[in-house]
Amino acid sequence: MSEHAVEGLKLRKLPTKPCPCAAHAAPGPEPESTMHSIFRPVLIAASSLVLFTASAIAQPFEGIIEFTKTTGPVITSYKYFVKGDRIRIEEISARGEVQGIMLVDTRDKSVTAISPERKLYMDVPNMRLPKDVETSVQKTSVLKDMAGHKCEKRLVKSPKEDRLLTYWVAADEFNFFVPLLETLNRKDEQAVFFLQIKDNKGVFPLLGIEQKTDGAEVSRLEVNKVTKESQKTTLFEVPAGYNKFERN
C-alpha cells in the first residue's frame, strides 16, 4: 500500500551550482521555507498513508443483532448485544417484552441466566461434551445481500444425521460468534454444524436454514437488523437488587 500512496511523488531537483545571476535576483525564500515546500508533498502523502492504514484496520463488531428463530409454527425473537468478549442475549415476547436474559463472557467461559420477572439470576454450568458429527462442508461463490451485508452461501451436510444446513454468512469482524457458540456448547444442529466450517472466524450467519436431506425444513434463523453502535458496560452486568438463585 505504501508504494501506491507515494507513487508518482518526486523530490524537486535542487541546483548543484549557484546561478550566475543570483547576485542580481530578488531575494529568495528562507531556507526553512524552501525545504518545507520541497518536502510538503511527501509529508502529505505520509500523513494520508497513516490515516488510511489506521482506518483499514478492522475493528471487532460492537452493536446489536436482531433475529428470529422459527421451528415449525413457533417463532421466537432474540437480540444479541455485543461488546468485546461479552454478549447479552435477550429473548423477546410477541408483545415486545424481555422474557429472559443470558449474559455470556467468552473469555472466562461463563454464562449467567437472568429472570427480569422474578429479579433472580443464576450461574449456568455447562458440563456437556461437544457434540461430534460427521459432515461435509461446501463453500460456494453464490452471494446475496441481506440486512445491509453481502452474504456468501455455505453448505454443511451430514447424511448420518439426516441434515443439510445452509448458511448465508457475512464477514464483518463478527469475532464474538464462534467463541459464543463454543461457550454455550449447545446441541442444536444450527450451532453444531456451523462450528464444522473451518474458516468461520469473523463471519456471522444472517440466515441459517436447517433441513432434512429430503428437503423438509426443520428450523430457520434469520437476522432482521444489524446495528453497529457502542454498548454500555452495565448491559453485561447483573442489575442491582437481583438475588442469586441457589440450587438445592
Side-chain angles (χ1 to χ4, degrees):
M1 286 186 226
S2 58
E3 293 180 0
H4 292 295
V6 297
E7 185 178 359
L9 292 178
K10 297 180 180 179
L11 295 180
R12 186 183 305 166
K13 291 184 179 180
L14 299 178
T16 56
K17 297 181 180 180
C19 176
C21 58
H24 305 285
E30 294 295 326
E32 291 184 2
S33 177
T34 302
M35 292 296 290
H36 179 75
S37 65
I38 293 171
F39 287 100
R40 188 164 178 259
V42 177
L43 293 173
I44 292 174
S47 300
S48 301
L49 178 61
V50 171
L51 292 173
F52 175 78
T53 303
S55 62
I57 299 175
Q59 297 297 316
F61 174 81
E62 180 172 344
I64 305 170
I65 300 175
E66 302 176 43
F67 65 99
T68 58
K69 179 177 182 179
T70 304
T71 307
V74 180
I75 301 176
T76 310
S77 298
Y78 295 93
K79 286 185 180 181
Y80 282 168
F81 298 81
V82 182
K83 187 180 183 69
D85 301 315
R86 306 172 78 179
I87 302 96
R88 174 189 176 105
I89 305 172
E90 291 185 354
E91 181 178 342
I92 312 299
S93 70
R95 297 180 179 180
E97 300 172 345
V98 179
Q99 289 184 314
I101 301 170
M102 294 185 74
L103 303 180
V104 183
D105 190 322
T106 60
R107 175 171 292 184
D108 61 16
K109 304 295 183 182
S110 66
V111 181
T112 304
I114 298 177
S115 171
E117 182 180 358
R118 301 175 63 186
K119 294 189 180 300
L120 294 173
Y121 73 93
M122 65 176 291
D123 297 327
V124 182
N126 188 348
M127 306 301 291
R128 292 191 303 267
L129 293 174
K131 185 177 179 180
D132 189 23
V133 293
E134 297 178 7
T135 61
S136 61
V137 179
Q138 180 184 354
K139 181 179 179 180
T140 77
S141 58
V142 182
L143 301 176
K144 178 191 293 189
D145 290 328
M146 298 184 64
H149 289 74
K150 191 170 292 296
C151 300
E152 183 182 76
K153 184 179 181 181
R154 301 188 184 182
L155 303 170
V156 186
K157 187 175 183 179
S158 175
K160 185 176 180 180
E161 301 291 332
D162 188 28
R163 285 295 185 272
L164 170 64
L165 274 291
T166 303
Y167 299 103
W168 292 89
V169 302
D172 196 7
E173 296 301 317
F174 295 110
N175 301 336
F176 75 94
F177 190 57
V178 170
L180 172 65
L181 294 183
E182 292 173 344
T183 301
L184 292 176
N185 191 24
R186 301 187 63 176
K187 289 187 176 182
D188 66 279
E189 278 74 9
Q190 288 272 7
V192 172
F193 279 57
F194 186 83
L195 289 174
Q196 297 295 306
I197 303 173
K198 299 303 180 184
D199 56 341
N200 56 17
K201 183 179 180 182
V203 304
F204 187 89
L206 297 193
L207 176 62
I209 303 173
E210 176 190 357
Q211 298 170 291
K212 294 183 178 180
T213 51
D214 64 3
E217 186 169 314
V218 178
S219 70
R220 174 182 292 252
L221 293 174
E222 187 166 6
V223 171
N224 307 314
K225 188 177 181 181
V226 178
T227 306
K228 286 185 177 182
E229 62 182 16
S230 180
Q231 300 297 298
K232 295 180 179 179
T233 305
T234 53
L235 276 174
F236 309 92
E237 301 171 351
V238 176
Y242 278 52
N243 297 314
K244 187 173 184 178
F245 177 78
E246 300 288 356
R247 294 183 178 183
N248 294 330

